[in-house]
Amino acid sequence: MFTSIFGAVLAVCFARNALAIPTISVKGAKFFADGEQFFLKGVAYQGTPADPLINTVQCQLDAKSMEEIGTNSIRVYHVDPYSDHDGCMKAFSDAGIYIWLDLDTFNTTVVQTNPAWTEEQFFAFTEVMDVFQRYDNLGGFWIGNEVINTATGSLAAPYVKAATTDMKAYMAAKKYRQIPIGYSAADIAELRPMLQNYLSCGSKPNQIIDFFGLNSYEWCGTTTYESSGYSNLQAMSAGYNIPIFFSETGCNVGGERTFDDQAAIFGKEMVGTWSGSIVYEWVQEVNDYGLVNYPNGQIYSGAPTPIQPDYDNLSKQWKTITPSGVALATYKPSDSPPPCPSATLGWQVDGDVPLPTLAPSIISAVAASIKPIATHRPTSSENSAVPTGTVPASTPIDTSSSTFVTAMSLGLIIYSSLMPGNSKKPKPTSTSSAPGVDLGIVANPEPASLSFSSLKLSLSDLVCSSPSISVTDSVSSTSASTSSPSASDFSTNTPTGSNSGTGAGPSSTGTSSSASPSSSKSAASALKPQPNSLYKVWTTFVTSGGHGGIVGLAIITVLLGTTVAVFL
């Protein structure tokens, strides 16, 4: 009987692998999938502060509509790593759609006005990476979105590069596949092309981003390749050593959007350099950049209805565009990293400065599931103008405790719920956020009350991947103190009138020729961190009547014994 069950489970595993979408890789200045060059035809997909990759039915409806117009990528700005994303990721995978996902959450991004790269931020980034690295249709991670959004913000760039370096080191230590990590930049004329060159310069590949995205709204209305400014963007990017594409585009100056810029991006002038574009945006908000509406005007509330003629205009552009790329087997990169730019009147980072990376021992400890608890975020006075490479103080876990020793011997992770360094809760920008979304943060959640009937382990998950534990519980928590943020608390803006506050969308820096709406780009309200399910199970057993360690050990032993029996 056990042999039959095991065979059935293996069949399911092989079926999953057979249907898997080919993963995306980077070689030189190109993306590749299944041996052929990959070009993005994407849309931005996040209309509320809530995680858009949780509701499977909604994702299926949106994926079907996206597939109809030729979409192969979506950009998601923020997710809740403690939620289940399997259904949505499969829905988009079935439609041939890749996800390009930000590693930061609403309040863990590097902040331009007070740049820092701390253990707290690193832990939060690893949570997102741990969850999404296993999906084949995860196209790439963003290390940041418009962290630098003014002409005077370039001193934050080394922190972006430090975050990239540490996340690559973590990825290697965990032996994950080499998922590309990139950066999405605001279109700031004074910093072009210094920012893109700085992030891709240097002799150490682990310190270089894998791709560069530009949020540009320069092509507006009836214009041309030359008059739009695209010819200048191409001139500054020719010979770039890593993939570059438009991570947001789709200027709206009133009337219908024709998306004529797509023909230029995928045309003979730019296709040799640029790897496609992501159109802003899928969801209709009050900024009027959407491609679809939802029933009763409620975002993510059912089957999307196309907004015409924009929806069909984009569909016609993409369906008539067939960019000719190169094959992976025959492609030989010839472009070297650019020199690190020297300091100028606009660009303030002088060459290849030391990066404020975390200590290698911290990366190794986190990768080994021993996560120190960060207790301090540097103030502005503690951060020098040029990064020094210092690491914030931290308090390691007490490894002498019996709880820690027992848990680690069983391979369990023991660490406190992650607390972002910025505890301010931004006010929602509208009342249209998804129902039931708590936009605050919690401090030190108490262990959940748990019964044996609430612990569920899937045999399929045991064999195919890491065990999946589902817990039905009631978590009591204490809300952290909150206050209204100042404009300097965040590094991104949202178009005026936007009802999402997702930290996405066209921005107005005053330094670009974009005709995008006047805006104040701010990250919206923070998602509420939840304790890891495995952590909740273990800590509940440990604290129940003084015999939790024995009970927990007994249950784990039974599960392991069952697994051995299956294999035998």
Side-chain angles (χ1 to χ4, degrees), residues 442-464:
V442 295
N444 301 322
E446 294 295 326
S449 6
L450 180 70
S451 62
F452 287 102
S453 62
S454 64
L455 177 64
K456 301 176 184 178
L457 186 65
S458 162
L459 178 60
S460 173
D461 286 336
L462 258 178
V463 179
C464 297

Tab-separated table of all heavy atoms in Angstrom, residues 442-464:
chain	number	residue	atom	x	y	z
A	442	VAL	N	2.703	44.420	13.818
A	442	VAL	CA	2.532	43.872	15.151
A	442	VAL	C	3.885	43.673	15.796
A	442	VAL	O	4.871	43.399	15.124
A	442	VAL	CB	1.770	42.526	15.115
A	442	VAL	CG1	0.361	42.729	14.634
A	442	VAL	CG2	2.498	41.516	14.252
A	443	ALA	N	3.919	43.805	17.110
A	443	ALA	CA	5.162	43.615	17.839
A	443	ALA	C	5.093	42.341	18.659
A	443	ALA	O	4.181	42.142	19.443
A	443	ALA	CB	5.404	44.809	18.756
A	444	ASN	N	6.083	41.465	18.440
A	444	ASN	CA	6.229	40.250	19.236
A	444	ASN	C	4.924	39.472	19.388
A	444	ASN	O	4.360	39.381	20.477
A	444	ASN	CB	6.766	40.600	20.636
A	444	ASN	CG	8.102	41.291	20.544
A	444	ASN	OD1	8.914	40.944	19.701
A	444	ASN	ND2	8.322	42.274	21.405
A	445	PRO	N	4.393	38.905	18.314
A	445	PRO	CA	3.150	38.131	18.430
A	445	PRO	C	3.318	36.974	19.411
A	445	PRO	O	4.346	36.330	19.438
A	445	PRO	CB	2.933	37.610	17.002
A	445	PRO	CG	3.765	38.497	16.136
A	445	PRO	CD	4.923	38.924	16.973
A	446	GLU	N	2.268	36.731	20.187
A	446	GLU	CA	2.300	35.622	21.129
A	446	GLU	C	2.124	34.315	20.362
A	446	GLU	O	1.477	34.274	19.319
A	446	GLU	CB	1.163	35.767	22.145
A	446	GLU	CG	1.318	36.987	23.055
A	446	GLU	CD	2.536	36.855	23.943
A	446	GLU	OE1	2.867	35.720	24.344
A	446	GLU	OE2	3.162	37.885	24.232
A	447	PRO	N	2.681	33.212	20.893
A	447	PRO	CA	2.467	31.918	20.235
A	447	PRO	C	0.977	31.606	20.141
A	447	PRO	O	0.212	31.934	21.033
A	447	PRO	CB	3.196	30.931	21.155
A	447	PRO	CG	4.205	31.767	21.890
A	447	PRO	CD	3.562	33.112	22.048
A	448	ALA	N	0.595	30.951	19.059
A	448	ALA	CA	-0.821	30.646	18.855
A	448	ALA	C	-1.255	29.484	19.715
A	448	ALA	O	-0.493	28.588	20.027
A	448	ALA	CB	-1.045	30.311	17.387
A	449	SER	N	-2.590	29.499	20.120
A	449	SER	CA	-3.110	28.323	20.769
A	449	SER	C	-3.323	27.266	19.707
A	449	SER	O	-3.782	27.572	18.633
A	449	SER	CB	-4.416	28.599	21.461
A	449	SER	OG	-4.903	29.803	21.242
A	450	LEU	N	-2.971	26.037	20.020
A	450	LEU	CA	-2.908	25.020	18.973
A	450	LEU	C	-3.412	23.690	19.499
A	450	LEU	O	-3.146	23.321	20.635
A	450	LEU	CB	-1.450	24.875	18.522
A	450	LEU	CG	-1.147	23.865	17.425
A	450	LEU	CD1	-1.727	24.362	16.105
A	450	LEU	CD2	0.350	23.682	17.284
A	451	SER	N	-4.171	22.992	18.695
A	451	SER	CA	-4.593	21.646	19.049
A	451	SER	C	-3.980	20.675	18.061
A	451	SER	O	-3.578	21.052	16.971
A	451	SER	CB	-6.125	21.544	18.982
A	451	SER	OG	-6.565	21.783	17.666
A	452	PHE	N	-3.907	19.390	18.479
A	452	PHE	CA	-3.293	18.411	17.595
A	452	PHE	C	-4.042	18.297	16.278
A	452	PHE	O	-3.463	18.035	15.239
A	452	PHE	CB	-3.249	17.033	18.289
A	452	PHE	CG	-2.233	16.964	19.376
A	452	PHE	CD1	-2.607	17.051	20.704
A	452	PHE	CD2	-0.888	16.837	19.084
A	452	PHE	CE1	-1.671	16.998	21.704
A	452	PHE	CE2	0.059	16.786	20.093
A	452	PHE	CZ	-0.330	16.865	21.415
A	453	SER	N	-5.345	18.532	16.294
A	453	SER	CA	-6.146	18.399	15.080
A	453	SER	C	-5.839	19.490	14.064
A	453	SER	O	-6.191	19.379	12.895
A	453	SER	CB	-7.643	18.436	15.420
A	453	SER	OG	-7.971	19.680	16.013
A	454	SER	N	-5.172	20.564	14.529
A	454	SER	CA	-4.921	21.665	13.613
A	454	SER	C	-3.593	21.518	12.871
A	454	SER	O	-3.263	22.337	12.039
A	454	SER	CB	-4.905	22.992	14.382
A	454	SER	OG	-3.837	23.013	15.303
A	455	LEU	N	-2.810	20.472	13.185
A	455	LEU	CA	-1.527	20.254	12.516
A	455	LEU	C	-1.731	19.308	11.350
A	455	LEU	O	-2.150	18.184	11.510
A	455	LEU	CB	-0.519	19.665	13.520
A	455	LEU	CG	0.862	19.316	12.971
A	455	LEU	CD1	1.555	20.591	12.501
A	455	LEU	CD2	1.695	18.630	14.053
A	456	LYS	N	-1.436	19.793	10.140
A	456	LYS	CA	-1.665	18.992	8.943
A	456	LYS	C	-0.388	18.931	8.115
A	456	LYS	O	0.215	19.946	7.840
A	456	LYS	CB	-2.787	19.590	8.099
A	456	LYS	CG	-4.113	19.699	8.839
A	456	LYS	CD	-5.152	20.378	7.992
A	456	LYS	CE	-6.453	20.572	8.759
A	456	LYS	NZ	-7.470	21.275	7.975
A	457	LEU	N	0.013	17.743	7.727
A	457	LEU	CA	1.211	17.583	6.927
A	457	LEU	C	0.864	16.825	5.671
A	457	LEU	O	0.283	15.755	5.724
A	457	LEU	CB	2.280	16.832	7.726
A	457	LEU	CG	3.652	16.709	7.081
A	457	LEU	CD1	4.264	18.106	6.956
A	457	LEU	CD2	4.567	15.830	7.910
A	458	SER	N	1.222	17.397	4.510
A	458	SER	CA	0.884	16.783	3.229
A	458	SER	C	1.992	15.837	2.796
A	458	SER	O	3.153	16.218	2.730
A	458	SER	CB	0.687	17.878	2.183
A	458	SER	OG	0.760	17.334	0.899
A	459	LEU	N	1.635	14.588	2.496
A	459	LEU	CA	2.618	13.619	2.025
A	459	LEU	C	3.224	14.056	0.709
A	459	LEU	O	4.424	13.912	0.475
A	459	LEU	CB	1.955	12.240	1.875
A	459	LEU	CG	2.864	11.109	1.344
A	459	LEU	CD1	4.032	10.906	2.293
A	459	LEU	CD2	2.067	9.824	1.196
A	460	SER	N	2.386	14.632	-0.169
A	460	SER	CA	2.891	15.133	-1.451
A	460	SER	C	3.958	16.184	-1.234
A	460	SER	O	4.994	16.196	-1.878
A	460	SER	CB	1.744	15.721	-2.274
A	460	SER	OG	2.214	16.358	-3.428
A	461	ASP	N	3.723	17.089	-0.275
A	461	ASP	CA	4.701	18.130	0.008
A	461	ASP	C	5.964	17.542	0.621
A	461	ASP	O	7.060	18.039	0.407
A	461	ASP	CB	4.118	19.176	0.956
A	461	ASP	CG	3.110	20.069	0.252
A	461	ASP	OD1	3.207	20.186	-0.975
A	461	ASP	OD2	2.236	20.625	0.938
A	462	LEU	N	5.796	16.456	1.434
A	462	LEU	CA	6.968	15.832	2.040
A	462	LEU	C	7.923	15.307	0.980
A	462	LEU	O	9.131	15.446	1.090
A	462	LEU	CB	6.520	14.664	2.932
A	462	LEU	CG	6.480	14.892	4.451
A	462	LEU	CD1	5.955	13.637	5.126
A	462	LEU	CD2	7.844	15.272	4.981
A	463	VAL	N	7.378	14.688	-0.057
A	463	VAL	CA	8.218	14.075	-1.077
A	463	VAL	C	8.668	15.089	-2.119
A	463	VAL	O	9.826	15.107	-2.530
A	463	VAL	CB	7.453	12.915	-1.751
A	463	VAL	CG1	8.306	12.283	-2.828
A	463	VAL	CG2	7.063	11.885	-0.704
A	464	CYS	N	7.752	15.970	-2.549
A	464	CYS	CA	8.056	16.890	-3.647
A	464	CYS	C	8.859	18.095	-3.208
A	464	CYS	O	9.607	18.650	-3.982
A	464	CYS	CB	6.765	17.384	-4.298
A	464	CYS	SG	5.801	16.066	-5.060
